[in-house]
Every structure is written in structure tokens, then in C-alpha cells.
Amino acid sequence: MSRKLFPFLLFILIFTNCKKDKVYAVPKELQPYIDSFIAEAKARGINLVIDDLVIIYEKNLNVNGVDAAGVCTFSKKDPHTIKLDTTSGNWQNSLSSREQLIFHELGHCVLNREHTDIKFASDNYKSIMKPTGEQLYGPVAALYKRSYYLDELFNESIPAPSWSNIESPYTTVYSRMALFTENFDDNSNNWVIGNSTNTIRTIENGIFSFKSLNNGNYIFDRNLEIDQTKDFEIEMGLKFISLGGFAALFYGGSNVSNLFNFYLDKNGNLNLGSLLTGFEYGQTGIAVINGQFNKITYRKIGSNCFFYVNGKYLEKQNFIPFYGNKIGIGIGAGPAEINVDYFKVDYLE
Ligand SMILES: [Zn+2]
């Protein structure tokens, strides 16, 4: 489901002092991104002329032994050239992630910006010019961050945004009212368990075991009506058993194509989004504790929602009203195996 996100690379070649002629060769379907980049600069008082740029597609892009989604190269002899890997997740996940890839490379090739890996207290990157490939803003729920990242792209010294701070730490104390509590002591809640061609699902000794037998994406779901006018939390305890695959907490859909997904894998790679709205946000390097249960938490508070792993704040997004009442647990990119020791929904006050 989630394609691999590759780092962005800058590769400057300085070979010679020869003068060169300007070359402009951009595939016509990419011209709207160039026009948008120029318009975003102009809206910020910067008049850009882009007349020396070559963009080419390259599959399985690899720069000095490192897989990359994009690379910018230039020298005094060669034109400013961007290579884009259309097989990368950065290209394929959504038009928003594609824009971020192209704007990042234009940051190098047009604005002469270099990488910065500065992060805010919220662990959001300061700049679209970060060296790694995770998605920073999304098409809907995390669209609100786009304007900041474009402001910063054209002016590195702008002030940090409000969401650079952790607005809703996990430790905030709420009084709770349980809506649904599942400890997997038995199957009195009538989940669909058993063996199928693709999965093996068991509930035994306080553990739900979910195995996928191939690389498909599968869900363990139920319908639960949640009053969305209230604040609430969905949480589960998750242990990765297999080396590969990802797990997901999902919610708010009427079917698989509009479920909201909170994906995580054993290596600490996170993706948030849905098939309907597209990918909204990615993060790597999350401290997943292997061999133990990890606390995966989604909270809707007011008009926002917040995501946490083991009580660590990950992300704030705008709350989008649910499309349906399906909630549950997902597995994918297997064969894979996960264990879940509880799954619960509480109203928070
Ligand atoms: Zn780069």
C-alpha cells in the first residue's frame, strides 16, 4: 500500500569553467508544477525566471549507491537537471507528495538551496529541503501545513509555525467514558476469526493474533458508532511478530476505500492517510519497541486529531468527519504477523 519513500538528493558537479548555453526541456505534464512554483514565489514577492532547466524521468534512480526519488545536478558545463523516479512512493502516493518532490528539487536547482535536517519540537521538519523523503503535508487533513513549507522554501528565516510545538501532549489528563473495550479475553464481541485463504485470525489468552499469508492488505473490523461531536480516543496495544509488513489502526470508513489509516511498521516508518484523500503525512525513525506491545493512539480533540506512538506525539491533522462506522486493525505488505492485546474507544472530557 505504502510505497517506499526514498531520500531526495542533491548532486552538484563542478567540472569546468566553460560557458554553456541555457537549455529548457521540461515534460509538458510537469509544466503546471513549474508554473505553480513561479506563482508561489511571486505571491511571496520573488520574481523567478526559470529558463535553464532540464527534467527527465528515470526509473530505479540511484545516485552513488543510494536509491533516490529525485536528484538535482548542475555544473558550469551542464544544464540544471532534475531526474525524477516515477516508481518512487514520493511520485506515486498522491499529487501532494509529487508536488513536494518536485518543489524540493526546484529548491536545489532553481533556488540553490541545500539540505537542512532541522526539526521542530513537534518533530516536524523545518523545511521541505530536508534530506529524507517523508511526506510533510497532505492533500486534505494536513494541507494546512503547505503554506508554511512554501513560505520557508522561499525564505529560510521565517518564524516557526504554531504547530512547531506539541499542541496536545499525550500526558494531558482527561476523564474518560468507555464506549468500547476489547481485551481479547474471549470472542464475546463476535469479531470474525478463523482461517481463510489469505489470513489466520485467532483470539486466545488475551491476545488477538493476525497473520497475513501474502502481500495483500487485510482488515479485522467491526462497526461502532462514535459520536463525532464529542472528543474521543481510539487506542490499541500492538506487537510486531514478523520482520516485515505493516500494521494499521483504522477508523471512520464505510468501506476499505474510505477508511482512515494510521500505518506503522516495525522499523518505525509511519504513514497517515486514506485511499480516498491520499497520503497525508509520513515520518521515519519512530521508536517502536520490538518484542513488546506498543501503544498506538488516535485522538480527536475539537476540530483536530492527534497521533501518538507509546505516548510520543507524532502529528496534528484537521479532523475530517467520518464516512462510516468501521474501525479496526489492519495488516499488509506481508506475509506478516501482529499481536494486539487491547483495542478500545473512549470518550474524553
Ligand atoms: Zn535534496
Side-chain angles (χ1 to χ4, degrees):
M1 171 102 23
S2 152
R3 296 191 138 265
K4 194 169 176 200
L5 295 165
F6 295 132
F8 301 144
L9 294 174
L10 170 65
F11 193 50
I12 302 171
L13 307 165
I14 302 171
F15 289 134
T16 160
N17 291 319
C18 299
K19 282 270 184 199
K20 67 176 174 67
D21 294 327
K22 289 175 179 174
V23 183
Y24 189 81
V26 171
K28 72 174 188 306
E29 66 277 11
L30 296 186
Q31 187 58 41
Y33 291 94
I34 307 300
D35 295 341
S36 169
F37 190 80
I38 291 169
E40 295 290 354
K42 191 159 197 288
R44 292 162 175 84
I46 298 166
N47 288 309
L48 288 179
V49 175
I50 302 180
D51 59 359
D52 182 32
L53 180 67
V54 174
I55 301 184
I56 51 181
Y57 299 124
E58 192 161 303
K59 278 187 181 166
N60 304 315
L61 185 59
N62 184 285
V63 182
N64 297 343
V66 180
D67 286 330
V71 62
C72 157
T73 61
F74 53 90
S75 70
K76 288 190 173 165
K77 189 179 72 170
D78 301 304
H80 287 64
T81 301
I82 293 172
K83 290 179 182 172
L84 299 172
D85 188 341
T86 55
T87 66
S88 67
N90 308 75
W91 179 269
Q92 295 195 352
N93 281 348
S94 71
L95 292 178
S96 178
S97 66
R98 189 174 297 182
E99 176 186 82
Q100 289 167 65
L101 168 62
I102 295 168
F103 281 15
H104 172 99
E105 298 304 337
L106 292 172
H108 289 312
C109 260
V110 174
L111 304 176
N112 291 314
R113 283 202 56 178
E114 296 178 7
H115 285 154
T116 171
D117 58 5
I118 296 171
K119 281 182 163 185
F120 296 129
S122 61
D123 251 359
N124 286 127
Y125 277 101
K126 172 188 177 283
S127 176
I128 200 169
M129 298 313 296
K130 69 192 169 50
T132 50
E134 311 94 323
Q135 192 168 321
L136 294 176
Y137 57 86
V140 183
L143 179 61
Y144 71 95
K145 289 190 277 186
R146 181 178 183 271
S147 61
Y148 163 77
Y149 281 115
L150 297 192
D151 287 348
E152 197 280 343
L153 178 58
F154 296 105
N155 176 8
E156 295 181 55
S157 55
I158 62 155
S162 61
W163 43 267
S164 63
N165 295 308
I166 296 172
E167 293 178 43
S168 182
Y170 182 82
T171 49
T172 306
V173 176
Y174 294 102
S175 58
R176 291 164 180 274
M177 193 183 87
L179 176 66
F180 177 77
T181 305
E182 175 61 83
N183 289 313
F184 299 115
D185 294 327
D186 54 39
N187 195 21
S188 56
N189 284 319
N190 298 312
W191 296 90
V192 177
I193 55 174
N195 299 353
S196 73
T197 315
N198 299 315
T199 63
I200 299 172
R201 304 143 186 251
T202 60
I203 292 176
E204 280 170 8
N205 305 319
I207 303 283
F208 165 57
S209 166
F210 199 0
K211 288 183 199 175
S212 65
L213 305 175
N214 51 48
N215 64 359
N217 302 314
Y218 303 103
I219 63 174
F220 181 71
D221 66 303
R222 66 185 307 105
N223 287 312
L224 181 74
E225 192 167 337
I226 300 173
D227 180 351
Q228 297 169 58
T229 65
K230 295 183 175 174
D231 293 342
F232 59 90
E233 174 187 276
I234 309 171
E235 189 169 272
M236 69 175 178
L238 168 72
K239 180 155 75 173
F240 290 97
I241 306 297
S242 57
L243 287 175
F246 66 75
L249 177 73
F250 64 79
Y251 52 92
S254 59
N255 58 60
V256 289
S257 63
N258 60 19
L259 286 168
F260 295 96
N261 290 286
F262 179 171
Y263 295 102
L264 189 68
D265 73 18
K266 176 172 195 153
N267 300 315
N269 298 306
L270 165 81
N271 268 307
L272 303 175
S274 82
L275 289 180
L276 192 70
T277 64
F279 279 83
E280 294 283 355
Y281 179 71
Q283 197 177 113
T284 55
I286 292 164
V288 173
I289 308 166
N290 288 310
Q292 291 182 34
F293 286 95
N294 295 269
K295 192 165 57 180
I296 312 298
T297 312
Y298 163 92
R299 277 182 188 167
K300 180 262 179 187
I301 308 287
S303 59
N304 295 312
C305 50
F306 302 90
F307 301 83
Y308 311 82
V309 169
N310 295 322
K312 182 183 182 300
Y313 175 95
L314 302 176
E315 166 72 343
K316 175 186 100 165
Q317 296 190 346
N318 293 321
F319 176 72
I320 300 172
F322 289 177
Y323 303 104
N325 292 331
K326 256 186 213 315
I327 59 167
I329 300 157
I331 193 169
E337 181 178 1
I338 57 172
N339 283 178
V340 176
D341 66 345
Y342 71 91
F343 183 93
K344 67 186 178 72
V345 181
D346 289 342
Y347 289 121
L348 307 175
E349 277 177 17

